[in-house]
Amino acid sequence: MKMHFDVVIIGAGIMGASLSYYLTKLGLKNIALCEQGIPPGNGATHKSGGFIRIFHENEWYTKRAVESYDTYADWGNKIGGSCGFKKTGFSFITDSTRSDQLRANAKKVNRYCSQVSVLSPDEFQQFQPDFSLEGIGAIVYEPNGGYADPAKTALTFIKQSEKKGMKLLEGVKVERILHHRKKITGIQTNIGSIRADKYVVANNIWANFLLEELGLRLPMFKKSIGLGFIEWDKEKSVSHLTSCIDETIGTYFRIFSNYRLLFGVQMSHSGALLQDRSYLDYGDMQIAKEKLVGRLPLLHKAEYLGSRLSFDSYTSDGLPIIGVHPEFDDLYLMVGFNGSGFKIAPSIGLILAREIFHNERMAELNNTRMERFNKQSPI
Ligand SMILES: Cc1cc2nc3c(=O)[nH]c(=O)nc-3n(C[C@H](O)[C@H](O)[C@H](O)COP(=O)(O)OP(=O)(O)OC[C@H]3O[C@@H](n4cnc5c(N)ncnc54)[C@H](O)[C@@H]3O)c2cc1C
């Protein structure tokens, strides 16, 4: 096969999908999106929890979440179709030792979004009566938070960019990135070689297998993330339940569908041991559920419905690796989303699309560039 594109994107998770959408929106039609599996792929995206929130303790994430929020909330008009967004409100719960810090962070977030406020446990209970208040110091609350459907979101981005000319190459595994000195000369895939003017590595932790060929290694590590599902007594309505991260019990949860709740499960095994599995141990789910019942006593009779196990790529400073590569000016990176990529994907796709389209470094990506790892820290 002989193909030549303006841009080839490797990986059709939420990041590759968002980038392909915004590139075509900017007017680049001759682009290809390679996915080894069936979109939205074999990675984190189709197993993601899909939480949408503005509040982050890191300013860079807050800004990207604010930029992305309007797209999620008005998906039909802005992108077309549905991303499954549900506004449930979002709460970040902490204990009394962290309350002051949380208040200070919420104030910083208010520079970008006035909807985020800090509530006392009593104020919170007025509209969330099912919560036990034990151990709660303060709650950051945002009424507009919620969740969306990550698979639907990625597929809509893909569908809309296909309409504008993007070529989706499904079941196409990029086996090698070819180069001559500091120029990428093509990619080798299971259906032949493909050439492009620019190449984007958006394939999560797998990026390092491909980049080895170029003598590159991104400082990322793989971390497992587990989710459990339970169903509660159908006579009890909890449709008003806020989506929540609860630091005090070390988990997060949200409504999944009628009478079903999705919750975060910490694993007792290391990621390496679990790499070929997509389900969780019962014991780990039990521990997480016990903590959850402490917070939401109405769940004490809830029954297990299943689990999900996946992973994301993490970096030492918690920020992703995005932007043109410092050594190869036709190679772009879009990886390392630290378990937080879904909610910021629209903003990241747009910013990187601009960097590629205009051939100009975007200031928003200054903190996320690969170069930050090369800086010598003073001894
Ligand atoms: C269980 C779980 C819950 C999460 N919950 C949330 C949440 O609530 N909110 C939030 O914001 N974030 C959440 N995240 C994080 C978020 O889902 C990820 O950051 C995001 O999905 C990463 O997207 P990606 O496109 O970078 O990677 P992926 O979705 O992993 O996509 C990479 C794609 O590249 C493909 N690929 C790999 N190698 C090749 C190759 N050689 N050739 C072709 N294709 C290739 C893979 O098949 C894969 O489809 C969660 C993650 C997990 C695992």
Side-chain angles (χ1 to χ4, degrees), residues 103-261:
R103 254 176 251 284
N105 286 337
K107 221 171 174 180
K108 285 186 197 155
V109 172
N110 283 150
R111 278 191 249 148
Y112 308 103
C113 174
S114 59
Q115 299 272 348
V116 173
S117 59
V118 181
L119 305 179
S120 69
D122 288 342
E123 287 169 324
F124 181 65
Q125 186 128 68
Q126 281 170 23
F127 64 98
Q128 292 293 320
D130 295 314
F131 277 68
S132 150
L133 299 181
E134 202 184 325
I136 298 184
I139 303 103
V140 169
Y141 182 66
E142 44 185 282
N144 292 339
Y147 64 89
D149 180 330
K152 234 181 189 176
T153 306
L155 290 175
T156 327
F157 269 143
I158 291 171
K159 200 169 149 199
Q160 300 296 27
S161 51
E162 273 188 295
K163 280 187 197 161
K164 293 193 171 124
M166 180 274 280
K167 204 165 253 177
L168 174 67
L169 304 180
E170 177 180 321
V172 171
K173 179 173 178 166
V174 178
E175 288 155 349
R176 291 175 66 199
I177 300 180
L178 310 168
H179 71 111
H180 178 66
R181 299 209 172 105
K182 294 296 174 191
K183 270 269 166 249
I184 310 295
T185 52
I187 52 174
Q188 184 67 50
T189 78
N190 57 313
I191 59 164
S193 59
I194 298 173
R195 299 184 64 182
D197 295 339
K198 295 178 179 179
Y199 301 82
V200 185
V201 170
N203 62 336
N204 202 336
I205 197 71
W206 293 278
N208 271 328
F209 297 115
L210 288 178
L211 294 174
E212 223 170 17
E213 183 89 22
L214 309 180
L216 305 175
R217 179 145 194 96
L218 305 180
M220 308 190 294
F221 57 96
K222 179 178 172 180
K223 196 164 143 186
S224 297
I225 309 177
L227 296 177
F229 300 93
I230 46 177
E231 187 171 56
W232 62 84
D233 186 345
K234 291 198 171 65
E235 280 162 22
K236 291 178 178 150
S237 165
V238 288
S239 54
H240 59 279
L241 204 69
T242 171
S243 299
C244 188
I245 294 179
D246 188 340
E247 259 192 357
T248 68
I249 56 170
T251 190
Y252 47 90
F253 49 90
R254 69 162 173 86
I255 299 281
F256 182 64
S257 61
N258 285 348
Y259 310 108
R260 290 179 183 189
L261 197 87

Side-chain angles (χ1 to χ4, degrees), residues 268-280:
S268 46
H269 296 294
S270 76
L273 282 172
L274 294 168
Q275 63 188 354
D276 295 327
R277 280 179 32 184
S278 56
Y279 57 90
L280 295 172

Side-chain angles (χ1 to χ4, degrees), residues 15 35-36 41-45 48-51 174 204 312 341-343:
M15 289 302 161
E35 170 53 51
Q36 64 184 359
N42 297 350
T45 299
S48 177
F51 283 66
V174 178
N204 202 336
D312 207 359
F342 176 66
K343 68 185 81 66

